[in-house]
Amino acid sequence: MARFKPRSTAPVPERALLVGVDLGTAAWPLRDSMAELGRLAVTDGAVVVGQLTQRLRKPVSRTFIGSGKTEELVRMVRALDVDVVIFDDELTPSQQTSLERIVGDSVKVIDRTALILDIFGKHATTHEGRLQVQLAQLQYVLPRLRGMWSHLVGEQARGGIGSRFGQGESQLEIDRRLVRDRISHLCRELKELDKRRRMQSRARWDSGIYRVALVGYTNAGKSTLLNRLTGADVYARDELFATLDPTTRSLDLKAGRRITLTDTVGFIQKLPTNLVESFKSTLAEARAAELVLKVADASDPNCERQIDAVDAILADIGAADIASVVVYNKCDQLDREVVHGMEALHPDAEFVSALTGTGTDGLLYRIAREAARGDVTITSLIPHDKGLLVKLVHERGQIVRERYEQGGLLVTARVPRRMADTLEPYGVSDAGEAQGRVGA
């Protein structure tokens, strides 16, 4: 018989209590917002054991919720053995400090912003992604540092031996300075990375390859769609913010044109402003695209609200005017009659299932059609020593006809306007003129 019982070393999930307030001004019903908050908590490894809601005209300045609800919150924390209380709206530093004092030091009180930042911290894998998350976290923590040193400030307020040195304020100022210095360092480093990204983006622009960006609400299936269209193996799971870092893959359309597809970070309602600011260099991939595919989860009851949230963030980053196509994904989870009804309501949208591949051929045709807008038909005689130019015509254009002549490749193709400008020195009006040039 063993002397010691084996104990599991697996981390014990924290028990979370969710708190929401209906102020009558939110775009989403409180019930749906709280359900999403629960999914965020589960994504972060917690177990939701209860929730508390209240309707108010405006938040209470000290505790966000009313005094009666605060007492109820304390009772629920004790009865349910809660480890963390998560508010659906952003708390001020003073509200967070007051609530922590009321519920007890052993229970954490955080808001939706802190929860999302924690999830981003877990899922960021690239160097740039980790820097962006760290910057957003420090910007969030900076105004909340005072509460972390409140015990020392309290000692100073009581007077007596040692109080004249101002330990609390000194340490608080030191920490604030360290955080500000770190924020400045991260901003400089991210600025350098942004310069490199802009150079890479400019190189792709100069290459003439048509650029498409996948944007959408978190867990709408963007990464799965990228994998389906390009044969990539990007990490994709049924969880919120499964991938944060942008991934670009090339794709050759049936018409012969080569394009790039970029998967971007997922959006969410009430996305923290400082997080949007920190990820602007990543979101710049969407701003630099020539076509934006707004991927939406057709099976989600809040699908249209999700699209509105995506539109709001695209407007924030200056990408609202880019050509776009709404792509309703996960149609395999709906009855065919429901899909037909949605198609009648949204005739300009595409309806697909990235999981099964249904509708993806139609989506690729739509992308090819959008990419061909503004194309012109040209006929050029490209000399034999311009092999790279021939390659670019095949990659960027749609070949109508071609044949080899004595002076080079005579090709008629539909190409983007910028490609047509490149081919202008070799342009001919017809095959007869080409023959005349060869004879000369």
Side-chain angles (χ1 to χ4, degrees), residues 97 299 366 431:
T97 300
S299 67
R366 177 69 177 275

Side-chain angles (χ1 to χ4, degrees), residues 21-34:
V21 173
D22 184 0
L23 300 172
T25 57
W28 289 49
L30 180 62
R31 179 186 60 187
D32 295 337
S33 189
M34 291 293 286

